[in-house]
Amino acid sequence: MSTTKKALITGITGQDGSYLAELLLQKGYEVTGIVRRSSSITRSRIDHLLDRGLNLHLEYGDLADSSSLRHMMTKVKPDEVYNLAAQSHVRISFDQPEYTADVTGLGVLRLLEAIRDYNNASGAKVRFYQASSSEMFGAAKPPQGEATPFHPRSPYAVAKVMGFWQTVNYRESYNMHASNGILFNHESERRGENFVTRKITRAAGRIKVGLQKSLFLGNLEAKRDWGHARDYVEAMWMMLQQEQPDDYVVATGESYSVAQFLDEVFGQLKLDWHDYVKIDPRFYRPAEVDYLLGDASKARKKLGWTPKITFKELARVMTEFDLDLAERESHAASFNGKR
């Protein structure tokens, strides 16, 4: 009988999913990722893993489709399930609240039910990780820890609160090994370009090489606890290695404003962001979350987890990546113009 651990990841093509897949493959897991069937297939974040012939497989499925989730459980027979899929953009959740609630909230319930049915039928003890979010705290006074009451301020945050409590309920009702990771903002060069940090580094690089003249943003005073996604997926894995399931805040314990992130990024490129950034009311949320600051002392003590990448290093890595991307864009534009 094979002793290779099997992991199932929803949202594998996203930022966190790609880093988690890398980590688990390095640890010798067989990894299966669920991808949605859509008209545009975006797998750029995991292409480097697929091309190397690693023990990685992709299967079609959807958090909005219970039957596909049940089928996936019986086909893959995972030891661990990591639910990272969601409609995860806070601002967009105000425009698509019902869709966000269905996928980000009810999707967790569908997946938990699929795991419970599989456990009952097979006698397995699948371990489950739910990607919860610091946005659940919303207007709660910082610092925010596991005992801080939730005060969600967006349809996305409300849906995440639902997923959190469904996970707790299945743990307590059915003795499932189900844990929540309440992750504060975590970024990287693989972050989607519609999220504020990547939007900033992408624009800064393009401005530096002359491809863009300005950057439109919303609330520059919003403060966030920003870490690197590579550090945070390690905490996810650690949670499922514990004998007892539990809920953990994952954060750096330091908070910086959007304006301070602009300082770091544009400063690295020797630019003054005040010359390029314009405020656009469209990017303000109907209900703002002003200040998130995580208390991850429980994760440090019980998991032995600590973040390795600092705020300054995060900004540097992202800026360098997007400057290189902009330079390649510029060269391609120049080449095409000469043809």
Side-chain angles (χ1 to χ4, degrees):
M1 181 180 291
S2 174
T3 58
T4 301
K5 275 190 173 183
K6 295 182 179 181
L8 181 65
I9 303 174
T10 72
I12 195 170
T13 59
Q15 170 189 254
D16 293 7
S18 66
Y19 282 119
L20 179 62
E22 284 180 351
L23 176 69
L24 296 179
L25 290 168
Q26 289 168 5
K27 292 182 178 295
Y29 281 66
E30 179 179 349
V31 177
T32 300
I34 296 180
V35 294
R36 287 184 302 136
R37 188 182 292 276
S38 62
S39 57
S40 60
I41 301 174
T42 304
R43 299 179 184 173
S44 59
R45 295 182 181 94
I46 57 171
D47 278 343
H48 65 293
L49 300 175
L50 294 168
D51 293 344
R52 285 160 53 192
L54 297 170
N55 207 359
L56 172 63
H57 319 284
L58 299 181
E59 298 283 351
Y60 286 113
D62 199 312
L63 287 179
D65 179 7
S66 300
S67 62
S68 72
L69 299 177
R70 285 183 164 82
H71 171 72
M72 203 65 56
M73 291 303 301
T74 56
K75 181 176 183 178
V76 176
K77 298 178 173 59
D79 300 290
E80 300 171 2
V81 174
Y82 296 85
N83 184 37
L84 311 185
Q87 188 304 98
S88 59
H89 196 283
V90 175
R91 184 61 192 83
I92 291 173
S93 76
F94 285 99
D95 300 323
Q96 295 186 301
E98 185 177 342
Y99 174 74
T100 301
D102 185 37
V103 175
T104 307
L106 275 175
V108 183
L109 177 62
R110 296 185 185 106
L111 187 52
L112 285 165
E113 270 292 280
I115 295 171
R116 184 170 77 91
D117 286 350
Y118 172 71
N119 283 350
N120 289 340
S122 66
K125 296 286 186 181
V126 176
R127 298 189 173 197
F128 175 74
Y129 170 83
Q130 166 60 14
S132 292
S133 169
S134 60
E135 287 287 333
M136 300 188 306
F137 293 121
K141 183 179 178 181
Q144 295 100 0
E146 292 84 5
T148 304
F150 298 139
H151 188 158
R153 299 269 284 171
S154 67
Y156 166 75
V158 171
K160 279 294 186 182
V161 170
M162 176 186 177
F164 174 92
W165 284 116
Q166 292 289 2
T167 301
V168 172
N169 183 249
Y170 272 65
R171 180 172 72 219
E172 296 177 350
S173 300
Y174 305 115
N175 196 31
M176 288 175 59
H177 195 295
S179 297
N180 283 290
I182 308 173
L183 273 56
F184 279 64
N185 291 64
H186 46 291
E187 319 297 317
S188 76
E189 54 275 30
R190 298 181 192 174
R191 188 61 141 149
E193 293 183 15
N194 57 343
F195 289 86
V196 67
T197 51
R198 187 75 197 287
K199 184 177 178 180
I200 288 169
T201 57
R202 191 79 174 88
R206 299 185 88 251
I207 288 169
K208 181 67 176 179
V209 301
L211 292 176
Q212 189 169 325
K213 293 183 178 179
S214 56
L215 168 62
F216 294 90
L217 296 172
N219 182 12
L220 303 188
E221 300 309 312
K223 299 184 73 173
R224 295 291 184 269
D225 186 323
W226 274 310
H228 196 291
R230 191 185 298 277
D231 286 340
Y232 285 43
V233 299
E234 187 177 15
M236 299 177 189
W237 174 78
M238 287 177 168
M239 290 178 209
L240 295 201
Q241 310 319 304
Q242 303 304 303
E243 185 175 342
Q244 297 298 325
D246 207 343
D247 308 316
Y248 298 89
V249 163
V250 180
T252 68
E254 297 180 356
S255 191
Y256 299 89
S257 68
V258 175
Q260 287 174 299
F261 191 80
L262 285 165
D263 285 337
E264 289 292 332
V265 172
F266 279 78
Q268 186 175 326
L269 300 178
K270 295 180 171 53
L271 298 171
D272 185 345
W273 63 263
H274 296 89
D275 295 334
Y276 307 98
V277 173
K278 303 181 187 302
I279 302 301
D280 188 333
R282 291 180 303 161
F283 296 117
Y284 278 87
R285 303 178 185 180
E288 286 288 340
V289 174
D290 296 318
Y291 190 4
L292 294 176
L293 174 64
D295 175 5
S297 55
K298 179 178 175 180
R300 292 172 188 265
K301 182 179 180 181
K302 293 189 69 175
L303 302 180
W305 176 85
T306 55
K308 302 177 182 69
I309 301 171
T310 65
F311 173 74
K312 286 181 178 291
E313 178 71 2
L314 170 69
R316 184 188 66 77
V317 169
M318 292 181 67
T319 303
E320 289 179 354
F321 179 88
D322 278 329
L323 176 61
D324 178 68
L325 186 59
E327 287 173 342
R328 284 187 277 127
E329 268 189 287
S330 180
H331 292 156
S334 299
F335 177 76
N336 291 332
K338 291 176 181 178
R339 292 185 65 179

